[in-house]
Amino acid sequence: MPDPFDSILYKYVYCTLSSTDDVACVGSGLFGGGLLPGGLEWLAYVLTAVTIVAVLINAILGGVLMMIWGERRLLGRFQGRTGPNRWGPFGLLTPVADAVKTMFKEDVMPTVSDRLVFTAAPILMLFPALLIYAVLPFGAGTWLADINVALLFIIAIGGANVLAIVAAALGSGNRYAMFSAMRAVAMLISYEIPLVISLIGVLMLSGSLSLVAIVNAQTLPFFIVQPLGFFVFLVASMAELNRTPFDVAEAESEIVAGYMTDYSSMKFGLFFLSEFAATIATSGVITAVFLGGWHGFDPIPSQIWFIGKMVAVLAVIVWIRASWPRLRIDQIMNFAWKALFELTLINLVVSGILLLIWPSPSTPELWYMAGVNWVVFLASIYIFGKVLGPKHDPVAAGNIQSGITLSDSDAPAIPAGGGD
Amino acid sequence: MIYGLGLAKGMGVTLKTLLGPSFTVQYPDRRVGIMGAAKAAGISTPGLIFKRPVKALRAVLGFERIAVMPTQAARFRGNEFTWYEDRCTGCASCAKYCPLGIIKIVTAPGGINMQEGESYAIETFDIDTGRCMFCALCVEACPYDALHMGSEFERGNYVRMDLVLTKEDLIAAPKRPSTWFRPQMEESAYSPFAETLEDMKQAGRHETPSVEQLTKRWVEDRRTDESVED
Amino acid sequence: MPLKTEPITINVGPQHPSTHGVFRMRVTFDGEEVIDVEPIFGYLHRGSEKLAESRTYTQIVTLTDRMDYVASMTNNMSFILSVEKLAGIVPPPRGVWLRMIAAELQRIASHLVATGFFLQDLGALGTPLILMMRERETILELFERLCGARITNSYMRPGGVFMDAPDDFWPALNRFLSDMPHRIDEYEDLISGNEIVAARCDGVAVVDSQTLIDASVTGPMLRASGIDWDLRHRQPYEYYNRVKFNRPLATTSDNYARYIVRIHEMRESLGIIKQCLEQIEPGPVRPETVPALIRPPAGDSYVGTECPKGELGFYLVSDGGVAPYRCKVRAPSLINLTLLREMLIGDKLADLFVTFGSIDINMGEVDR
């Protein structure tokens, strides 16, 4: 079990409150420490936990608001528009106004709905999204909990939100919602597998399931060493998050709003919130596992590095959303089982062989591994594109035969009235 | 060809758009940065920072806004009408031509100071713009150039009856006729967004340009176009 | 034992994000697969044809604006040509050229809207649509210079156009003409080569050309199946026999072909406008002799024109009065829609709207 005092957050708050004589607390803690009298260490422990969780949840809410603003601004710019700029400086208060509006809207409950399930669904949706943050290391020593099975925890929690989607669909008794739930379940089952297997390469390199250990193991960011794993993980987590081009579960041009169709007011708000919270959390996981976590160069604090990398991942996700159309559900299934699953297996085998050659790789050896892996990555993408891509090029198949140029001798056969 | 190249190309296009200018037309006011604020105030950017630091700070924080009017063509058929009472004979050509029948004209004998010897006074001249589709056929029908399309469009209100333009409204309204079907205004380079034509004499009467005039204008246009291209 | 599934019926529309207006489809699904479609329309019926019987010929022009409201100019032109044939009015050349320029600009605008919403139905989050709306905005600004309105133009009159183009129209048009080819290249970069678009559209909703001909489908939908039928070429009206243009044809007759034909037609329209600018000469735009109230001799007339969506024709019957005795509209949107059921059955739910968008209908014209 890792020492809780590794977490700076825990150390500062606990040592400020508790009058413990623990060695780790000497010299740390504000106001000289020991605000609570001795013998109340248990209370200090509880208060510390409550404080950190409260700070974290509020930070998440603030982050979600910022992300809503950022996504809308960025989407606007990708489309040549300005984006929201009316409320507050640069439109920063737009999501706040949206949130207030959402809270004061009428909460419509469809008559055919199952009240209990209908109400429980948004809450069920929010919890997994928030729980992921418990294990995310936001910076050197800045985490809520450093558990030794963090990756397993994230994968287990991340799969839980489909339950909420099914509950929402069943509860609202809407047929569009049923379509959405069917799609979401099918997609989750398919994409969970490549998602998990793509992480095994990282596990083999780092030798630990703890996110902190994985970050510490990244002398070279793992997206360089494990390009195939990074690619599959990025794609699969975008599918889990229902982001374009895999947003079939809430495809607004097909099934209106999917499982959210019948929701209004703050229930809809919770769905919205949890979706964005999950997106931020996933980008955090990607940052921690593949982009070197909080590592960076020195004058900039590690927390800033982590958040900067997270924002970069989010920007790429928004960029993809702005550029690409949506895939069809059967194509998504095909992609998961015929492409991503095999790619992860290739990654697994290649990583295993490379680790046999260099059992505990040093940094230059990591570079050699990266070289091999990149060659494998590009080659397999090329081969898979050849094998699974469309058999004929639509540009060539639906080719434009320019009709015969009309000349003066090609006189009109049937003259019409009007013009002449 | 490697699979995924088209996807990358598409992302390139969006990236290009991201770096390019925004084509949003902001209305009724525009948020400006510090350079835009300085430009609007007519001084240089350092000048703004030193002379009016509060304004500069507001601009940096994104609070500074300047009012804008969308650019409109001179022929723009606005949400209102411009009417010169002195020119109107009450002939009701406009009312007859209106596809929707929303112009109501009541005349009485014995008017004074009428044009061309008419002796009808106009008692009522109502246009129900709430039902109007602004096809401007009434303007086309007016034989005396008394009725023009207006250029105003910000006429939203909460009561339908307020949308009916009565004779008094028409007289009191600022006269900004659109140049729609009024070539004489176009030839005099009049812009409804720069000036008003309070006097009916300023509005002029339309005389069909001769073929020579048209030819001259057209050839000159072409010549300037070509010289620009060269 | 095969798994027994139960068909599920959904009312898609009239209030659905991608039914392009107030269209309704009663669709029966087996899982994700469409097994039956029943199109239901008429929610936007305004009785335009009946209204026309009580209006003068000039007043009907305003009604045609509101039929296909993303292609008002071509609607105007179609109606005007029919009236001119009925009344024997000969428009002066400059009026005809102006009408052709306006109609081709409108064709570009309409194709931009069609392609943009087609991509929107594919799930592209607005980027192609908004980029295309940007160019359409330029065209609408040109129309505003030309006739003071952006959508409901009412620009044309029996005998020509109501007024010559203002002086500032021509430089703006030249700017647009030099700018637009790059924009179309940009769309092609964004869409045409995109593997997702190809995967979604290639081989979806294929209709063979004989079925299309039997259903009297016209326009880009027909040309996407390789049939060289363009009324501008087959039955030239206006001065289309004095300009040279290619008719882009695709062979596969699927959603991708319908999209790519529209993109290429935009390029051809730009070429037509350039040729119009070369040939246009000064002169009157409307004959002096046309009266305000046209009283055509008793008889009938029909002129089919190649509108962005297909053949639009106005069949007018006159009894010698100021208003037509009967005005029948051959609306391409309605007739192209008749094949919807055949195209959709067997496809997936997601392709339902893509196919619907690829037909490019306008509810104002379907219901009239």
Side-chain angles (χ1 to χ4, degrees):
Chain A
M1 193 65 193
D3 188 4
F5 286 102
D6 283 351
S7 166
I8 301 173
L9 286 173
Y10 178 82
K11 194 171 162 183
Y12 270 97
V13 181
Y14 182 76
C15 294
T16 306
L17 289 172
S18 161
S19 53
T20 177
D21 49 358
D22 201 315
V23 186
C25 257
V26 174
S28 55
L30 301 170
F31 316 120
L35 289 183
L36 288 171
L40 283 176
E41 276 82 15
W42 62 272
L43 185 61
Y45 187 73
V46 170
L47 281 178
T48 308
V50 169
T51 312
I52 296 177
V53 169
V55 167
L56 192 63
I57 287 186
N58 279 300
I60 294 165
L61 294 184
V64 167
L65 289 188
M66 281 303 290
M67 194 204 159
I68 294 173
W69 173 81
E71 171 155 22
R72 290 182 58 186
R73 277 297 273 217
L74 204 54
L75 263 183
R77 290 305 301 129
F78 273 126
Q79 298 172 350
R81 296 182 287 121
T82 309
N85 68 346
R86 294 279 134 176
W87 288 103
F90 312 108
L92 267 170
L93 293 180
T94 314
V96 179
D98 280 348
V100 172
K101 179 205 72 174
T102 312
M103 280 181 221
F104 284 100
K105 275 180 120 171
E106 187 192 353
D107 192 5
V108 181
M109 182 86 75
T111 45
V112 293
S113 69
D114 184 333
R115 294 184 78 90
L116 181 68
V117 181
F118 187 78
T119 317
I123 303 164
L124 271 179
M125 184 91 173
L126 185 60
F127 269 98
L130 291 183
L131 276 177
I132 295 179
Y133 289 92
V135 294
L136 274 187
F138 292 100
T142 318
W143 53 76
L144 186 57
D146 173 24
I147 57 174
N148 51 8
V149 286
L151 269 187
L152 272 185
F153 177 80
I154 287 169
I155 289 159
I157 291 295
N161 67 345
V162 77
L163 205 69
I165 293 178
V166 175
L170 276 177
S172 56
N174 185 310
R175 286 175 184 180
Y176 289 122
M178 281 315 297
F179 270 108
S180 161
M182 280 173 358
R183 289 172 169 194
V185 172
M187 231 164 70
L188 183 98
I189 292 170
S190 307
Y191 276 86
E192 197 80 336
I193 293 160
L195 186 81
V196 175
I197 303 181
S198 68
L199 286 175
I200 293 181
V202 174
L203 282 189
M204 293 196 294
L205 280 171
S206 66
S208 169
L209 277 166
S210 155
L211 280 181
V212 176
I214 290 176
V215 172
N216 281 328
Q218 292 184 56
T219 47
L220 192 63
F222 280 163
F223 84 96
I224 299 175
V225 188
Q226 289 270 324
L228 207 50
F230 175 63
F231 171 74
V232 174
F233 188 80
L234 185 68
V235 171
S237 44
M238 274 167 67
E240 299 262 300
L241 289 171
N242 284 328
R243 304 289 298 193
T244 316
F246 306 102
D247 57 342
V248 285
E250 49 197 75
E252 82 284 339
S253 69
E254 296 163 18
I255 47 174
V256 192
Y259 56 92
M260 295 190 281
T261 306
D262 272 346
Y263 280 90
S264 55
S265 185
M266 209 49 215
K267 286 187 188 126
F268 173 78
L270 279 185
F271 273 124
F272 209 69
L273 179 72
S274 47
E275 208 163 274
F276 276 91
T279 310
I280 299 176
T282 308
S283 69
V285 174
I286 292 174
T287 308
V289 175
F290 286 106
L291 299 185
W294 64 77
H295 290 317
F297 36 87
D298 226 358
I300 306 165
S302 60
Q303 286 86 353
I304 303 285
W305 272 107
F306 189 88
I307 289 169
K309 286 175 182 175
M310 232 162 80
V311 169
V313 174
L314 289 174
V316 169
I317 291 177
V318 173
W319 186 10
I320 287 173
R321 188 176 177 208
S323 307
W324 297 352
R326 183 186 305 127
L327 278 163
R328 208 164 56 206
I329 181 72
D330 55 328
Q331 291 164 345
I332 291 177
M333 291 294 132
N334 276 343
F335 186 57
W337 288 108
K338 291 183 184 166
L340 286 188
F341 183 57
E342 278 75 5
L343 285 175
T344 52
L345 290 186
I346 291 171
N347 185 36
L348 201 59
V349 171
V350 172
S351 304
I353 292 169
L354 288 175
L355 274 170
L356 273 181
I357 301 170
W358 298 294
S360 52
S362 60
T363 309
E365 282 168 358
L366 277 177
W367 276 109
Y368 302 145
M369 284 169 106
V372 176
N373 272 328
W374 272 94
V375 171
V376 171
F377 170 62
L378 293 175
S380 50
I381 292 282
Y382 180 76
I383 293 165
F384 272 75
K386 278 282 175 209
V387 175
L388 294 175
K391 291 293 168 286
H392 60 288
D393 192 7
V395 185
N399 64 337
I400 292 303
Q401 318 167 328
S402 13
I404 318 105
T405 309
L406 192 65
S407 63
D408 292 333
S409 61
D410 191 8
I414 317 155
D420 40 23
Chain B
M1 200 175 75
I2 189 161
Y3 202 68
L5 213 62
L7 295 172
K9 222 170 168 185
M11 288 178 83
V13 172
T14 41
L15 188 66
K16 212 171 92 188
T17 325
L18 172 83
L19 302 174
S22 149
F23 68 95
T24 309
V25 179
Q26 297 186 38
Y27 173 82
D29 51 24
R30 190 158 62 89
R31 298 296 194 278
V32 285
I34 188 159
M35 314 236 314
K39 206 175 170 190
I43 46 179
S44 65
T45 311
L48 184 81
I49 294 167
F50 288 117
K51 282 180 198 153
R52 300 168 74 179
V54 179
K55 194 180 173 77
L57 188 66
R58 279 174 59 89
V60 169
L61 291 177
F63 282 114
E64 194 60 30
R65 57 180 81 173
I66 51 175
V68 284
M69 278 297 285
T71 50
Q72 304 274 339
R75 279 186 191 177
F76 176 69
R77 310 205 288 256
N79 200 350
E80 54 148 16
F81 291 88
T82 301
W83 181 60
Y84 295 105
E85 191 199 8
D86 295 350
R87 268 195 183 167
C88 186
T89 63
C91 70
S93 288
C94 45
K96 279 178 216 156
Y97 227 65
C98 179
L100 302 168
I102 55 164
I103 304 180
K104 182 184 178 188
I105 298 180
V106 177
T107 53
I112 46 160
N113 194 19
M114 290 291 114
Q115 197 181 8
E116 303 185 5
E118 296 285 345
S119 59
Y120 282 101
I122 295 143
E123 290 185 342
T124 311
F125 193 97
D126 289 356
I127 304 178
D128 183 358
T129 51
R131 289 171 61 205
C132 183
M133 60 179 175
F134 308 101
C135 64
L137 286 176
C138 49
V139 177
E140 202 173 328
C142 184
Y144 301 109
D145 284 15
L147 189 65
H148 306 260
M149 291 308 289
S151 303
E152 193 63 41
F153 59 94
E154 294 166 311
R155 285 190 65 239
N157 64 46
Y158 293 98
V159 187
R160 256 167 217 274
M161 274 310 289
D162 289 355
L163 287 171
V164 178
L165 286 173
T166 62
K167 184 184 159 190
E168 288 72 32
D169 293 338
L170 286 167
I171 291 171
K175 307 252 185 298
R176 291 179 190 275
S178 155
T179 61
W180 199 91
F181 212 73
R182 297 286 179 257
Q184 75 275 13
M185 291 184 194
E186 260 173 27
E187 276 154 27
S188 66
Y190 150 80
S191 163
F193 306 99
E195 50 192 313
T196 56
L197 300 179
E198 292 300 338
D199 189 7
M200 68 171 187
K201 290 195 182 73
Q202 287 173 300
R205 286 293 293 275
H206 174 48
E207 272 144 43
T208 318
S210 65
V211 176
E212 287 74 35
Q213 278 173 318
L214 282 172
T215 315
K216 188 164 162 290
R217 278 172 58 199
W218 180 244
V219 170
E220 276 170 6
D221 286 349
R222 301 272 287 205
R223 193 170 293 137
T224 49
D225 279 357
E226 276 159 18
S227 64
V228 168
E229 275 167 25
D230 291 341
Chain C
M1 194 186 95
L3 199 65
K4 194 174 177 297
T5 54
E6 198 176 322
I8 179 171
T9 306
I10 293 190
N11 257 318
V12 178
Q15 289 161 349
H16 184 279
S18 50
T19 48
H20 298 231
V22 281
F23 186 67
R24 180 175 158 209
M25 287 180 274
R26 193 182 291 144
V27 196
T28 311
F29 295 103
D30 179 17
E32 286 261 336
E33 202 172 294
V34 179
I35 53 175
D36 194 19
V37 183
E38 188 191 340
I40 302 161
F41 46 84
Y43 292 95
L44 201 59
H45 179 62
R46 293 154 299 179
S48 299
E49 291 179 6
K50 190 70 189 168
L51 276 175
E53 290 170 18
S54 59
R55 304 237 167 133
T56 67
Y57 289 95
T58 317
Q59 288 173 351
I60 296 172
V61 175
T62 62
L63 285 179
T64 63
D65 283 340
R66 286 155 179 83
M67 283 181 191
D68 183 357
Y69 41 80
V70 296
S72 305
M73 284 289 190
T74 47
N75 287 24
N76 285 355
M77 186 158 106
S78 186
F79 173 73
I80 293 302
L81 285 173
S82 197
V83 175
E84 281 172 1
K85 190 180 175 191
L86 189 65
I89 303 167
V90 180
R94 190 175 171 85
V96 175
W97 287 121
L98 277 171
R99 290 203 302 220
M100 276 174 68
I101 291 171
E104 291 305 320
L105 280 175
Q106 186 72 75
R107 189 185 312 281
I108 297 172
S110 176
H111 281 344
L112 283 174
V113 172
T115 317
F117 278 102
F118 170 66
L119 264 293
Q120 186 80 356
D121 291 344
L122 267 175
L125 197 118
T127 308
L129 176 66
I130 288 171
L131 293 186
M132 285 173 182
M133 282 291 170
R134 175 181 64 186
E135 265 56 73
R136 179 168 177 260
E137 192 69 16
T138 323
I139 297 176
L140 294 188
E141 268 165 25
L142 284 173
F143 284 165
E144 193 186 308
R145 288 172 201 271
L146 203 57
C147 60
R150 296 153 61 86
I151 309 285
T152 52
N153 306 108
S154 302
Y155 180 50
M156 301 173 191
R157 297 280 183 277
V161 298
F162 84 90
M163 211 172 145
D164 202 347
D167 294 341
D168 57 355
F169 173 77
W170 304 105
L173 180 63
N174 282 329
R175 263 202 309 281
F176 170 75
L177 286 179
S178 59
D179 209 24
M180 190 62 193
H182 306 296
R183 300 299 189 187
I184 299 178
D185 290 343
E186 210 173 70
Y187 305 148
E188 291 232 67
D189 281 350
L190 184 60
I191 307 160
S192 296
N194 193 311
E195 278 86 356
I196 296 180
V197 175
R200 283 294 302 276
C201 301
D202 193 20
V204 174
V206 179
V207 214
D208 65 304
S209 51
Q210 193 54 48
T211 317
L212 288 168
I213 293 172
D214 291 348
S216 74
V217 167
T218 46
M221 204 174 150
L222 183 66
R223 286 194 287 279
S225 72
I227 311 281
D228 184 10
W229 182 261
D230 187 333
L231 286 177
R232 289 176 291 175
H233 163 238
R234 294 280 171 170
Q235 304 173 358
Y237 49 94
E238 301 280 38
Y239 288 159
Y240 277 109
N241 51 1
R242 299 193 198 174
V243 292
K244 289 181 167 59
F245 59 98
N246 296 334
R247 284 100 52 205
L249 302 175
T251 46
T252 46
S253 190
D254 54 6
N255 283 346
Y256 195 89
R258 289 189 270 275
Y259 149 75
I260 201 86
V261 161
R262 292 206 175 91
I263 289 278
H264 280 79
E265 278 192 8
M266 280 193 246
R267 295 189 199 274
E268 294 304 324
S269 287
L270 288 174
I272 294 176
I273 296 171
K274 278 184 189 139
Q275 292 176 52
C276 290
L277 283 177
E278 280 161 16
Q279 299 185 44
I280 189 167
E281 279 172 1
V285 293
R286 197 176 173 187
E288 292 292 319
T289 50
V290 178
L293 289 178
I294 301 162
R295 289 171 196 273
D300 60 352
S301 74
Y302 175 84
V303 181
T305 58
E306 186 67 31
C307 279
K309 292 173 175 66
E311 177 183 349
L312 174 70
F314 282 79
Y315 178 66
L316 295 172
V317 182
S318 164
D319 56 359
V322 292
Y325 175 77
R326 175 79 172 98
C327 171
K328 168 80 182 82
V329 185
R330 187 220 185 269
S333 291
L334 175 63
I335 291 165
N336 291 359
L337 198 58
T338 49
L339 277 182
L340 186 66
R341 189 169 180 276
E342 283 74 8
M343 286 163 81
L344 288 177
I345 285 181
D347 280 348
K348 296 279 185 294
L349 163 63
D351 292 332
L352 183 76
F353 304 102
V354 181
T355 308
F356 185 64
S358 81
I359 301 176
D360 182 21
I361 61 148
N362 186 297
M363 291 319 289
E365 200 175 52
V366 173
D367 297 338
R368 299 197 288 288

